[in-house]
Amino acid sequence: MGDQRAPLYEAVMKYINQSPVRLHVPGHKGGEAFQERQSNQASLYGYSDFERILSLDVTELSGLDDLHEPTEAIREAQRLAADCFGAEETHFLIGGSTVGNIALILSACNPGDLILVQRNVHKSVIHALMLAEARAVFLPPRFDSVTGLPSSPDPAIIEQALHTYPQATAVFLTNPSYYGLGTDLSPIAALCHSLNKLLLVDEAHGAHYGFHQELPASAMQSGADAAVQSTHKMLTAMTMGAMLHVQGERIQRVKLKKILTMLQSSSPSYPILVSLDLARLWIQEHGSGSIHNAMLSLQQWRSDMASLERFELTVDHSSHSFYETKDPFKAAVRDRSGQLSGFQLKSALEELGCYPELADSEHVLLAFSLATSPEDLERLIYAFEQVKMRYPVDEKKELQAPVTNTNIAAYAQEISVPVPFSMRHIHTLVSEDSSYSIPIPLSRAAGHSSAEMVIPYPPGIPLLYPGEVITVEMAAYLQRLADSGASFQGVSDPALHTLQVLRDSQVDLFGKRE
Ligand SMILES: Cc1ncc(COP(=O)(O)O)c(C=O)c1O
């Protein structure tokens, strides 16, 4: 089974095992700064654990290589990662999938270039379009008929858009979604390549894909040209640790590398880099067996949940849905009695010590991983039993079918016209100049163009970007989200009583539209 080494981890351990005198940055000198055990920081972090992390926090010393020009341990660690994840080349990222998405768009688009982008993408992709000054043609997502959750666009829509816009440089998709819904990427990759277009995939939630026959294939296995994975989300890297995998000749590798050098810190975090090296080793050594065991435990948990009746794992039951892949490590749970919204169910579980990944108005989203123990799952079942007892429902009341009202109508259902993005969007977002934009009550916002990004967080997928026209359906959906307790990023009024809109929608703030 593969190469058993973790070269970057080994190099760093070799360094710290010498008990070196650290005449280099960072200033904490391997945690020495916190030796004073009575210090507040030491007691906050737990002295010894913090010291261990800080001792790994080194810099580009001899033998420890340089992320931006790797020739030794980092190069070797990245090569092993490429082998393990089925790529030709892998870049370690210390700024999450966020930096990977930005680098991919910047590498695929020169200013003015046109790119096909799934509409329900992470905010980093919209930010990347602004930085690249690219033009985006947005592709509408499909919606699960049972839950109303959005996923990837219909391949027929992608094909239609590729034929309408033959000048497009790439197709950018998110697969899987935060909720673990996805599509088979192989035919889409084949379609893109038949027209000599890049397929770029935000696989932030799928770093574990492809490591077991019952898990969906990864983007690399499906033939994508590049994929970004948050190794910290579903595998074991430290937060912000991510990887960008590439294969084939279409991607401009030299340009991509240069852009990563521009975007990533010149002092990358070794604890994060080492954690990427170890995450790769861990999945390589334990992958299939651990996944198998974890899936058995999750099967048991799912049948325990079914016996509670009150709660429904909606995505599991969406048998008539369009999507072809589901991540067994994600579960969207709703209260079938309709008594607790997703946000209320989340709070109720948190009071019992169980912290879901996120909530929407209907569901809580539970993210399991290979490190979820059977004991964790027992505690979770116990918590759901407790919620059932604490919030009893009238026995005679019928349990309800899911409400498919979520955001289906909110997104445009058609391929968009090309939308030019530019640095001016960024100026608008940060501008306090009231000649640009005015606050308007949400109830009167329909028909205006948004001056801000409206981003329910989590999941961090903008519902409006600056310049986007607010439809009646979108205004109503935002109102429902605000009423049900969602949190928003990017807005000047987090309660969403008002939205900032462009003072004059006719003003050609972002350049001409085609
Ligand atoms: C679909 C998607 N892409 C990208 C990201 C950004 O990932 P990261 O937190 O690793 O920067 C997220 C974060 O939640 C996401 O949900």
Side-chain angles (χ1 to χ4, degrees):
M1 148 88 57
D3 200 321
Q4 305 296 302
R5 294 168 314 128
L8 181 55
Y9 169 72
E10 285 159 19
V12 173
M13 290 311 288
K14 185 166 166 212
Y15 169 71
I16 64 176
N17 282 340
Q18 304 163 56
S19 303
V21 180
R22 296 174 188 246
L23 301 164
H24 53 77
V25 295
H28 56 66
K29 304 293 176 198
E32 289 292 309
F34 297 95
Q35 279 260 4
E36 177 48 74
R37 282 158 200 261
Q38 307 312 324
S39 80
N40 286 339
Q41 293 93 329
S43 58
L44 181 67
Y45 287 107
Y47 173 74
S48 57
D49 290 347
F50 192 44
E51 182 192 35
R52 269 167 31 212
I53 285 289
L54 291 185
S55 70
L56 286 176
D57 189 19
V58 289
T59 188
E60 292 91 343
L61 306 173
S62 305
L64 299 190
D65 215 352
D66 174 355
L67 178 64
H68 298 287
E69 294 293 339
T71 55
E72 315 171 85
I74 292 180
R75 187 164 92 159
E76 184 63 354
Q78 292 186 146
R79 188 189 64 72
L80 291 170
D83 283 353
C84 179
F85 289 92
E88 284 172 14
E89 201 174 353
T90 291
H91 299 279
F92 284 178
L93 307 175
I94 38 91
S97 288
T98 296
V99 83
N101 283 340
I102 296 175
L104 274 187
I105 301 255
L106 283 170
S107 75
C109 297
N110 291 322
D113 277 354
L114 192 142
I115 179 166
L116 306 183
V117 181
Q118 174 179 336
R119 173 61 188 84
N120 52 325
V121 279
H122 186 253
K123 58 186 175 170
S124 54
V125 179
I126 304 288
H127 291 148
L129 293 170
M130 296 177 191
L131 292 167
E133 307 220 301
R135 290 176 305 145
V137 166
F138 288 113
L139 309 177
R142 284 175 295 180
F143 293 88
D144 171 34
S145 57
V146 175
T147 59
L149 292 168
S151 180
S152 36
D154 187 335
I157 287 279
I158 301 175
E159 187 164 10
Q160 186 188 334
L162 277 168
H163 287 296
T164 311
Y165 297 103
Q167 71 273 43
T169 57
V171 173
F172 190 102
L173 300 180
T174 301
N175 202 70
S177 72
Y178 217 133
Y179 287 78
L181 309 181
T183 195
D184 177 6
L185 291 172
S186 306
I188 301 174
L191 168 68
C192 290
H193 295 160
S194 71
L195 297 166
N196 204 23
K197 307 296 177 198
L198 291 165
L199 176 61
L200 310 176
V201 182
D202 176 354
E203 199 174 38
H205 296 281
H208 57 314
Y209 275 22
F211 283 99
H212 188 276
Q213 62 205 24
E214 285 174 41
L215 283 178
S218 69
M220 280 292 107
Q221 289 168 334
S222 307
D225 298 274
V228 176
Q229 296 179 329
S230 292
T231 323
H232 68 93
K233 288 191 197 295
M234 298 303 283
L235 292 181
T236 55
M238 283 174 69
T239 295
M240 295 176 86
M243 296 190 197
L244 197 171
H245 307 296
V246 296
Q247 64 185 353
E249 301 308 314
R250 288 178 200 86
I251 206 104
Q252 295 186 55
R253 295 197 194 183
V254 175
K255 184 176 176 191
L256 179 64
K257 239 181 241 171
K258 288 218 154 77
I259 288 167
L260 281 172
T261 298
M262 291 163 74
L263 297 176
Q264 300 221 86
S265 170
S266 60
S267 314
S269 158
Y270 272 78
I272 294 176
L273 292 173
V274 165
S275 79
L276 285 169
D277 197 19
L278 291 178
R280 185 272 309 157
L281 181 60
W282 195 86
I283 189 71
Q284 185 179 294
E285 288 195 328
H286 302 282
S288 188
S290 303
I291 293 171
H292 182 73
N293 292 340
M295 289 205 300
L296 284 182
S297 305
L298 284 171
Q299 252 172 31
Q300 180 59 46
W301 174 79
R302 285 183 153 89
S303 81
D304 292 347
M305 282 295 284
S307 65
L308 286 184
E309 287 186 355
R310 166 83 178 266
F311 302 102
E312 184 180 22
L313 276 64
T314 41
V315 169
D316 288 22
H317 296 161
S318 303
S319 52
H320 301 299
S321 298
F322 60 83
Y323 48 77
E324 296 132 33
T325 64
K326 284 185 223 176
D327 183 355
F329 287 91
K330 292 277 173 73
V333 185
R334 66 179 274 270
D335 175 9
R336 295 175 70 208
S337 76
Q339 190 177 335
L340 298 174
S341 72
F343 298 105
Q344 289 164 326
L345 182 55
K346 178 165 172 278
S347 302
L349 289 168
E350 285 172 355
E351 274 171 29
L352 293 153
C354 295
Y355 288 79
E357 171 70 9
L358 61 79
D360 62 34
S361 42
E362 279 274 297
H363 311 95
V364 291
L365 177 66
L366 307 176
F368 304 105
S369 88
L370 299 183
T372 305
S373 66
E375 295 73 37
D376 292 337
L377 296 177
E378 272 169 33
R379 275 188 64 189
L380 185 57
I381 280 289
Y382 175 76
F384 275 109
E385 283 166 353
Q386 290 295 308
V387 173
K388 193 174 161 181
M389 275 170 10
R390 287 184 189 184
Y391 302 90
V393 281
D394 186 343
E395 293 270 306
K396 282 177 240 122
K397 212 173 149 198
E398 298 262 311
L399 295 178
Q400 301 168 8
V403 188
T404 321
N405 68 354
T406 49
N407 46 10
I408 292 185
Y411 285 113
Q413 313 278 302
E414 277 146 27
I415 299 171
S416 80
V417 295
V419 181
F421 283 88
S422 78
M423 295 294 284
R424 274 178 292 180
H425 283 77
I426 299 173
H427 297 312
T428 308
L429 289 177
V430 299
S431 169
E432 286 170 8
D433 180 353
S434 58
S435 63
Y436 260 9
S437 62
I438 41 164
I440 197 164
L442 181 56
S443 55
R444 289 201 284 116
H448 291 268
S449 297
S450 180
E452 46 194 1
M453 295 261 265
V454 183
I455 312 169
Y457 191 86
I461 294 170
L463 289 173
L464 288 171
Y465 54 81
E468 189 167 15
V469 176
I470 306 160
T471 59
V472 174
E473 292 81 8
M474 179 57 85
Y477 178 54
L478 290 175
Q479 189 65 62
R480 276 206 304 281
L481 273 182
D483 291 346
S484 63
S487 308
F488 294 92
Q489 288 183 341
V491 286
S492 45
D493 173 7
L496 235 59
H497 296 310
T498 59
L499 267 188
Q500 267 323 105
V501 299
L502 295 182
R503 201 171 251 290
D504 179 357
S505 299
Q506 305 308 311
V507 169
D508 187 11
L509 197 54
F510 308 125
K512 293 231 173 310
R513 298 197 174 187
E514 272 182 10

